[in-house]
Amino acid sequence: MVIDDQPLLSADRGDIRWNLVPLETLDRVEVVKGPSSVLYGSAALNGVIHARTAWPTAEPQTKVVAWTGTYLNPRNNATLDSLDIGINAEGDTLYVYEGYDSLTWWGNSRPVFSGIYASHMQQFGAKKNIDFVIGMAAIGNKGHLQDQLQDYVRGNIKLRYRPVEELSFGVSANFNAVQEGLFILWEDSAKLSSLPGATDYNQYVQSYIDPFITYFDPIGNQHKLRARYYRIRSHYDDLDRFKGTASIFSTEYQFYRPIGNWSDVTFGAQYTTFNVEDNSLANATGSIVAPYLQAEFHPLKRLTLSGGLRWEAFNIDDVTGASLPVFKGGINYQAARRTYLRASFGQGFRFPSLAERYVEYNIGAINYLPNEDLEPEQGWNAELGVKQQINVSDWKAYLDASVFVTEYKNVTEAVFDFHLPDTITFDNPLDSLLALEELLGNYLGWQFQNVGEARIAGIEYSAAADGKLFGNPLRIHAGYTYALPIDLQADSSLRDWGNFYRRFVNSFNADDTVTTSSILKYRFRNLAKFDVEYSINKLKVGFTGNYYSFMDRIDDIFVAESDWSPLIELQTGNAQAVPGVIEYRDANNSGNWIFGARVGFHPTENSSITLLGKNIFNRSYTVRPAKVEAPANYTLQYKITF
């Protein structure tokens, strides 16, 4: 994830804080698919999401968006749990009391979510060469899961000065204060209430500041110098238990030169330092140096070639290392007037985050355990694709199809299991049974592990169309992805490309154990989506759908197939580490279509009132075990621009 050319990855966890993305000033989101660019780091193997914030135009603009919404009860919310019948001495029924168990936790007070975005942008100065943007957000989001919430305020500002056409410089800053409640595991199958102790409450103060300068020299070269200081202050659980600070400072120089009409070259270097002081992770300092070079060539009018190299060296607490030089390249060819062919290849290398290696934290009986032996991931990705544009009468459309394959070494996954250290041994089984309760409390949970080698191959289709139906605008977007993620450690015969190809071809409709036993955990083989919008005068109506196939494999301990499951059953009376997972998977063993709808009314050209519904048919579904996604929910939104 990149915001205005700067990566949004935290120093401690290497994660993306989505609530820091300034949606109130967002101009556009660019999705760079494939591995063909080295500008975004060696870990950007499958592409980059680039959010670009807006700059003002000649006319000042103010925008306000406000909304509120709530959830419906899940389908089959109440089930008969107990039956109490009172009978007198003569055998007459005096009363019948039915006790019901509910999937929800909220009773008659459904959770409510609401928020507001606002922004203003304007140019100042006699020459209109001072650009000013300010934005704010206030969100109160009580989730559908017990103790789940995300309340935050955000403020951001951008300032740019353009004294001459060739020079611009400025600064942007973003601040965010968050109160967050996390739901970890459910109480039982399909429940929105949590397993006792399986929730967490944290507070964060997050901010970044980005100075930048862009200069075009007299011979047309572009020079960019930009930096970011990004800091997160964390308070875990309660204010006195754990505190943490993670800061990262990066600076980058980038040079761009066009060479006639047939080529252009970009090169630069990025230097990053970070410092983490966190009781639940580690105290660490480090730095990364990354020079890169990328070039694009146009040897023919219809042909574009691109390629680049990037190298990253790091130092963490005086331990040094480096990635192999990473190569990425691509070819684009216009085969016909509206037909485009493409191919790309890229290598990747990702260092484990500090959290993946050193996290040591517990939420109730659930632990997050360190793994200091975690190795970096490395791999490559290749893609072939074709895009066809179609123009017919008032309709403009495109069809896109691609095939891809990715291969990894040292795949890193969070594994939920009983992670007993090798240093703990017992002279006899009785000693282990006596210590079992304490051991479960200390070593049951998640740990990041290198699970071996993997190969993922797939196909992807996407389509879009804009035109008119009965004289009114109609817009359609749709996509489908099939991926076969194979664990090469589980079935080494699939290292052979011929065997892998045959497995791929035969896997589309297969759910036999031969196919599923070698699939990587927590993956969906089939994903599909569509969005249709139709406009009639001041009214807009939209309908959306997202499809998730059944998740073939999850961690063995969830389905009572771990080596430790018999001991867990002996201690708890249930071989499942978390109740209800097997029952839920048995009852929901096919894919799910999740539909949404929206109706918007535009009383004026610059304002709208919209009713949005998500999961409108109220399906129960999960995207990871023991955590149900939101039931049907509805939002009323008002937007005005002036």
Side-chain angles (χ1 to χ4, degrees):
M1 179 68 191
V2 176
I3 297 179
D4 293 332
D5 296 309
Q6 297 276 24
L8 190 69
L9 294 177
S10 63
D12 49 358
R13 288 165 171 79
D15 62 348
I16 301 169
R17 302 298 175 97
W18 294 102
N19 50 35
L20 198 54
V21 178
L23 298 178
E24 55 275 11
T25 59
L26 194 63
D27 178 42
R28 64 189 185 276
V29 176
E30 301 169 354
V31 179
V32 183
K33 295 177 62 179
S36 59
S37 176
V38 298
L39 303 183
Y40 302 109
S42 61
L45 191 58
N46 296 308
V48 172
I49 300 174
H50 196 158
R52 294 190 182 274
T53 56
W55 287 109
T57 58
E59 295 296 324
Q61 183 187 85
T62 300
K63 180 173 67 176
V64 179
V65 182
W67 68 92
T68 188
T70 190
Y71 302 92
L72 300 187
N73 287 330
R75 188 186 299 179
N76 302 320
N77 180 45
T79 56
L80 187 64
D81 184 51
S82 62
L83 187 64
D84 184 15
I85 303 176
I87 302 175
N88 63 17
E90 288 75 28
D92 299 322
T93 300
L94 300 178
Y95 63 86
V96 177
Y97 176 75
E98 296 178 341
Y100 288 88
D101 186 27
S102 174
L103 297 178
T104 62
W105 52 269
W106 56 66
N108 295 321
S109 300
R110 294 175 182 172
V112 173
F113 50 90
S114 58
I116 184 170
Y117 293 154
S119 65
H120 178 76
M121 53 190 69
Q122 187 172 351
Q123 293 181 342
F124 293 94
K127 298 181 179 180
K128 298 289 186 180
N129 58 351
I130 300 175
D131 301 320
F132 175 74
V133 180
I134 190 168
M136 61 78 61
I139 310 296
N141 189 355
K142 184 68 174 176
H144 65 287
L145 299 170
Q146 186 178 14
D147 293 330
Q148 182 187 61
L149 63 89
Q150 191 169 91
D151 299 337
Y152 60 91
V153 294
R154 180 175 60 234
N156 45 80
I157 189 171
K158 295 173 64 178
L159 186 64
R160 181 176 65 180
Y161 179 49
R162 295 173 282 115
V164 293
E165 184 178 354
E166 298 81 10
L167 176 65
S168 65
F169 56 89
V171 65
S172 63
N174 196 352
F175 168 86
N176 191 14
V178 184
Q179 296 186 85
E180 182 179 67
L182 298 178
F183 177 100
I184 310 301
L185 297 167
W186 67 28
E187 182 182 16
D188 209 336
S189 179
K191 284 203 166 190
L192 308 185
S193 52
S194 68
L195 196 69
T199 58
D200 197 24
Y201 179 79
N202 304 311
Q203 295 180 327
Y204 305 98
V205 176
Q206 308 167 142
S207 60
Y208 64 75
I209 183 168
D210 298 353
F212 59 89
I213 183 170
T214 301
Y215 173 64
F216 291 88
D217 65 28
I219 59 174
N221 300 318
Q222 183 189 66
H223 305 264
K224 286 185 177 181
L225 183 62
R226 54 194 176 220
R228 168 169 289 174
Y229 178 69
Y230 177 22
R231 184 177 187 268
I232 300 174
R233 175 68 172 170
S234 305
H235 299 274
Y236 303 131
D237 194 13
D238 60 67
L239 296 182
D240 297 322
R241 183 181 177 191
F242 288 129
K243 296 180 180 180
T245 301
S247 60
I248 184 167
F249 176 75
S250 64
T251 183
E252 179 181 10
Y253 168 75
Q254 186 179 101
F255 172 89
Y256 169 79
R257 177 177 176 80
I259 304 175
N261 294 321
W262 63 276
S263 179
D264 54 69
V265 176
T266 303
F267 68 80
Q270 188 174 41
Y271 178 69
T272 302
T273 63
F274 62 86
N275 180 69
V276 176
E277 297 178 4
D278 194 315
N279 294 335
S280 68
L281 293 176
N283 296 330
T285 59
S287 61
I288 300 174
V289 178
Y292 58 84
L293 169 67
Q294 181 163 294
E296 191 170 283
F297 304 94
H298 311 278
L300 301 173
K301 183 178 180 180
R302 294 186 172 189
L303 179 65
T304 300
L305 307 175
S306 63
L309 288 170
R310 187 182 183 100
W311 179 74
E312 295 187 358
F314 69 91
N315 181 300
I316 301 177
D317 286 341
D318 297 325
V319 177
T320 60
S323 74
L324 298 173
V326 171
F327 169 78
K328 299 183 181 184
I331 302 173
N332 287 272
Y333 178 65
Q334 185 178 356
R337 182 182 177 187
R338 296 188 178 95
T339 304
Y340 302 86
L341 306 177
R342 68 182 183 276
S344 61
F345 174 84
Q347 298 170 307
F349 188 93
R350 189 184 74 87
F351 304 112
S353 70
L354 292 176
E356 289 173 330
R357 273 187 167 173
Y358 301 116
V359 64
E360 192 166 3
Y361 186 64
N362 69 285
I363 300 172
I366 307 301
N367 299 278
Y368 293 83
L369 300 164
N371 181 4
E372 297 185 16
D373 297 324
L374 202 63
E375 296 291 331
E377 287 181 313
Q378 54 183 303
W380 57 266
N381 173 276
E383 181 186 39
L384 293 171
V386 57
K387 183 175 182 178
Q388 179 67 53
Q389 294 181 345
I390 303 170
N391 295 341
V392 179
S393 185
D394 292 332
W395 284 85
K396 294 183 178 180
Y398 79 81
L399 301 173
D400 190 283
S402 63
V403 295
F404 60 87
V405 61
T406 304
E407 191 162 300
Y408 291 101
K409 292 182 180 179
N410 295 326
V411 177
T412 300
E413 289 189 343
V415 178
F416 188 74
D417 206 344
F418 185 40
H419 302 285
L420 190 66
D422 295 335
T423 54
I424 298 180
T425 59
F426 299 97
D427 294 331
N428 60 74
L430 181 59
D431 291 339
S432 65
L433 293 177
L434 293 174
L436 182 59
E437 182 176 0
E438 179 182 353
L439 294 175
L440 284 175
N442 291 334
Y443 299 108
L444 177 65
W446 276 280
Q447 184 184 62
F448 287 95
Q449 296 181 358
N450 294 122
V451 298
E453 298 177 68
R455 183 181 295 155
I456 304 169
I459 57 175
E460 187 171 49
Y461 303 100
S462 61
D466 289 273
K468 289 188 176 182
L469 181 65
F470 305 121
N472 297 304
L474 175 66
R475 180 182 59 81
I476 303 171
H477 289 271
Y480 169 73
T481 302
Y482 176 81
L484 182 66
I486 291 295
D487 181 352
L488 297 178
Q489 301 287 107
D491 190 345
S492 59
S493 69
L494 297 178
R495 288 190 172 92
D496 179 85
W497 283 99
N499 292 339
F500 183 87
Y501 172 76
R502 286 186 287 273
R503 175 68 59 85
F504 179 80
V505 171
N506 295 328
S507 68
F508 283 89
N509 296 313
D511 58 3
D512 57 277
T513 55
V514 173
T515 301
T516 60
S517 62
S518 57
I519 288 178
L520 288 169
K521 293 175 290 188
Y522 303 113
R523 265 71 170 187
F524 297 106
R525 277 191 281 166
N526 295 274
L527 294 170
K529 61 182 179 180
F530 69 83
D531 188 310
V532 180
E533 184 176 88
Y534 187 58
S535 302
I536 307 174
N537 296 324
K538 295 184 176 182
L539 189 68
K540 287 187 177 181
V541 179
F543 190 61
T544 65
N546 289 273
Y547 176 76
Y548 307 88
S549 62
F550 180 68
M551 187 178 288
D552 295 293
R553 290 188 63 212
I554 61 176
D555 280 317
D556 291 341
I557 202 166
F558 279 120
V559 290
E561 295 178 359
S562 166
D563 293 339
W564 300 102
S565 295
L567 289 178
I568 293 175
E569 183 176 18
L570 188 64
Q571 175 63 34
T572 66
N574 188 344
Q576 299 180 76
V578 180
V581 175
I582 294 177
E583 293 82 353
Y584 189 88
R585 285 173 61 81
D586 289 343
N588 299 271
N589 58 4
S590 59
N592 280 296
W593 271 107
I594 308 302
F595 296 102
R598 61 186 181 272
V599 179
F601 176 65
H602 295 252
T604 67
E605 184 179 352
N606 298 324
S607 65
S608 64
I609 302 171
T610 306
L611 178 65
L612 303 100
K614 297 180 180 179
N615 192 8
I616 57 177
F617 296 117
N618 214 2
R619 294 277 295 180
S620 177
Y621 71 106
T622 64
V623 296
R624 75 127 166 107
K627 184 180 180 182
V628 180
E629 296 301 304
N633 58 98
Y634 292 88
T635 303
L636 184 64
Q637 181 192 84
Y638 176 71
K639 178 180 178 180
I640 185 169
T641 303
F642 54 91

